[in-house]
Amino acid sequence: MAAIVLSFTIDSASAQSAVNLKGFNSKSGVTVKTSGTKIDLSWPVSATEKGRVVLDLNKNNPLFESIQATANGAFKEIAAKLNPEFILTIGRRDLISQNGWNIFFDRVPTKPFQSYNVVMDKKSAAVRSEGSRTIVSVSGVSSSTFSGNIEITFYNQTPLFNVAAVMSTQQDSAAILYDAGLVSKTPTWSKIGWAKTDNTFQNNDFNVAADAENIMVKYRTIIGQTANGSLAVFPAPHQYFYPLDEAYNLKFTWHGNNYRKMIPGYGLGIRQDLYGDRRYVPWFNAPPGTKQRMNFFCMVSAADGPAVLEKVKAYTRNDKFEPLPGYKTMSSHFHNEYTTQYTLKGKPVEDEPEYVKVFKNLGVNIVHLGEFHGAGHPKGPDSLRLKELYTLFQECEKESKGNFLLLPGEEPNEFLGATGLSFS
């Protein structure tokens, strides 16, 4: 079941490209200039600084001719000659055995799947304003039964822009995943950086010959750095991750040459693991006629990699729940199985288990467990069942202190025949 690259394949023609500006509001604070096949767009990223992108609609050239940011009012080129590349993998949703499009208990990668080359026709483009956003749409993306446009969205007062292949299909039962990134045949990075899972910043010297590798990162972000600044690439954090049983870090970023042996050139970007946690792996629904926004964000700045990462983290509050006066943050349905896997096995009991530290670092005040889900003896005998419950309640009492409450609970589908429920 080999996957084939989804990339923007550009033919050898280099015809003049028309740019439609009828939907653009010249009073939006954004400046757009067009000349031949070029779109030169600058937008305010703060009260004093700007970002700038020069797009090239010539079919022989990368789409992003230049990506720039100002420092003290002067533009500096952060990156150049980059093309957005995507790998779209198309499988088939099980719409019969359970809940139609609502199915979670599906194993898409165990069934046939395939990916297709995508052709991008850069003959026309349009620029339009939507409130404080400016969107450049490049027409003509197609692949197998999917078709649509490339959309690049710029956001006033932020150094962000979003790159998306917006595509739809009339094919029924489609389930999809995509990888994406920015790729160059003549890269000019000096360093590639990311946050390691222990929250320290990893800065690697750029190696133009390095083969692509998948990277385990924190905050889902990878950053290309040059002498003039940094360009961060990261996914939409609440859209890109399909539901899985287990919360593993599956190396959701990549950088290097010839990614998956499908994309020529050196790139950096985001990725999905086709097989997930190898349990129920449902991918994403793509119902007929719906627009699938296969996208990633970029942040451009004259700052260095660690400083840019701090700006990226601000959009998710450093991946923490913000305290609300008068309220506590509660989360539920976690199968930690600490009771059966540690305490009852006689392993050393930590003063504060790692899972408790994780919840506290996330800003969660109340955690409702979902224990004995496939473990323990929820159906008895009582001699074992009561010991397990007593041990669970002792553990919750031990960890409940200060601003943190650990509630005992279990998922009763083990003996009531339903899932998604829990009780204390």
Side-chain angles (χ1 to χ4, degrees):
M1 293 182 288
I4 304 170
V5 68
L6 160 63
S7 63
F8 300 127
T9 305
I10 302 169
D11 65 33
S12 60
S14 56
Q16 198 88 338
S17 297
V19 180
N20 185 339
L21 297 175
K22 291 181 180 179
F24 174 65
N25 180 4
S26 60
K27 298 180 180 180
S28 63
V30 176
T31 300
V32 176
K33 300 176 182 178
T34 63
S35 177
T37 61
K38 305 292 179 63
I39 301 175
D40 188 332
L41 184 150
S42 62
W43 78 102
V45 303
S46 69
T48 57
E49 304 291 355
K50 292 184 177 181
R52 182 185 182 191
V53 166
V54 179
L55 301 173
D56 191 344
L57 302 179
N58 186 312
K59 297 183 180 182
N60 295 317
N61 299 332
L63 183 60
F64 288 94
E65 178 179 283
S66 181
I67 300 174
Q68 305 174 21
T70 57
N72 299 319
F75 277 109
K76 293 184 176 182
E77 185 171 81
I78 310 301
K81 308 298 182 185
L82 294 170
N83 209 47
E85 302 281 356
F86 291 76
I87 297 173
L88 174 66
T89 306
I90 306 171
R92 187 171 180 83
R93 169 69 67 244
D94 175 0
L95 296 179
I96 298 173
S97 68
Q98 297 174 52
N99 302 309
W101 289 105
N102 293 322
I103 184 174
F104 166 74
F105 298 104
D106 201 356
R107 293 182 171 93
V108 177
T110 65
K111 296 171 284 190
F113 62 83
Q114 191 172 4
S115 301
Y116 300 89
N117 292 323
V118 169
V119 176
M120 179 180 175
D121 188 349
K122 294 166 72 174
K123 286 184 177 179
S124 66
V127 184
R128 69 182 188 272
S129 303
E130 292 186 2
S132 61
R133 302 180 181 188
T134 303
I135 302 169
V136 179
S137 180
V138 182
S139 67
V141 176
S142 61
S143 174
S144 181
T145 61
F146 281 78
S147 62
N149 301 314
I150 295 298
E151 289 189 355
I152 308 168
T153 304
F154 302 89
Y155 308 87
N156 281 7
Q157 303 306 317
T158 77
L160 290 176
F161 61 92
N162 181 274
V163 183
V166 184
M167 307 176 71
S168 62
T169 181
Q170 294 304 317
Q171 174 186 339
D172 199 13
S173 308
I176 64 170
L177 288 183
Y178 72 94
D179 301 355
L182 294 173
V183 180
S184 176
K185 294 181 179 179
T186 56
T188 57
W189 308 114
S190 58
K191 292 182 180 295
I192 305 294
W194 60 85
K196 296 168 64 176
T197 55
D198 64 3
N199 212 29
T200 59
F201 194 85
Q202 175 80 31
N203 232 349
N204 285 7
D205 290 332
F206 172 65
N207 179 1
V208 68
D211 290 333
E213 60 176 327
N214 304 331
I215 305 296
M216 184 180 293
V217 306
K218 193 170 184 178
Y219 308 114
R220 304 159 298 279
T221 302
I222 192 160
I223 303 170
Q225 300 160 83
T226 64
N228 289 332
S230 304
L231 182 67
V233 176
F234 55 100
H238 303 298
Q239 295 177 345
Y240 190 58
F241 300 95
Y242 60 91
L244 293 173
D245 272 341
E246 304 286 352
Y248 295 122
N249 187 323
L250 297 174
K251 299 184 178 181
F252 294 108
T253 64
W254 63 274
H255 75 97
N257 280 294
N258 196 23
Y259 175 61
R260 288 178 60 180
K261 298 182 180 179
M262 302 176 195
I263 302 178
Y266 190 102
L268 66 165
I270 61 174
R271 63 174 296 275
Q272 286 284 12
D273 190 303
L274 299 179
Y275 296 93
D277 58 11
R278 297 183 182 271
R279 295 177 59 159
Y280 295 106
V281 185
W283 294 9
F284 287 111
N285 291 337
T290 61
K291 291 184 178 181
Q292 302 302 314
R293 189 175 180 85
M294 294 169 273
N295 72 104
F296 60 94
F297 281 96
C298 300
M299 177 178 286
V300 59
S301 173
D304 63 9
V308 170
L309 181 60
E310 291 302 311
K311 294 181 181 180
V312 172
K313 289 161 58 178
Y315 287 93
T316 58
R317 300 188 183 94
N318 297 335
D319 285 4
K320 293 184 177 181
F321 290 96
E322 189 76 6
L324 295 175
Y327 292 87
K328 301 295 183 185
T329 299
M330 178 178 174
S331 192
S332 181
H333 202 122
F334 294 98
H335 308 306
N336 295 307
E337 305 297 357
Y338 191 83
T339 300
T340 55
Q341 297 301 315
Y342 288 87
T343 311
L344 289 171
K345 287 187 175 180
K347 295 182 180 180
V349 177
E350 304 163 282
D351 289 338
E352 185 175 77
E354 183 181 15
Y355 78 89
V356 174
K357 295 176 183 178
V358 169
F359 285 121
K360 288 182 176 180
N361 289 336
L362 289 173
V364 179
N365 309 115
I366 305 170
V367 176
H368 183 208
L369 297 176
E371 299 296 84
F372 310 124
H373 181 58
H377 301 82
K379 297 181 181 180
D382 289 350
S383 59
L384 296 176
R385 170 73 168 156
L386 292 176
K387 182 180 180 181
E388 290 166 352
L389 287 173
Y390 178 71
T391 306
L392 170 62
F393 274 68
Q394 277 190 316
E395 169 67 14
C396 291
E397 183 180 19
K398 169 180 169 289
E399 302 304 336
S400 297
K401 63 187 75 170
N403 199 32
F404 184 77
L405 176 63
L406 188 62
L407 290 176
E410 57 188 312
E411 184 170 345
N413 72 296
E414 288 301 309
F415 48 94
L416 293 182
T419 191
L421 304 172
S422 60
F423 61 81
S424 299

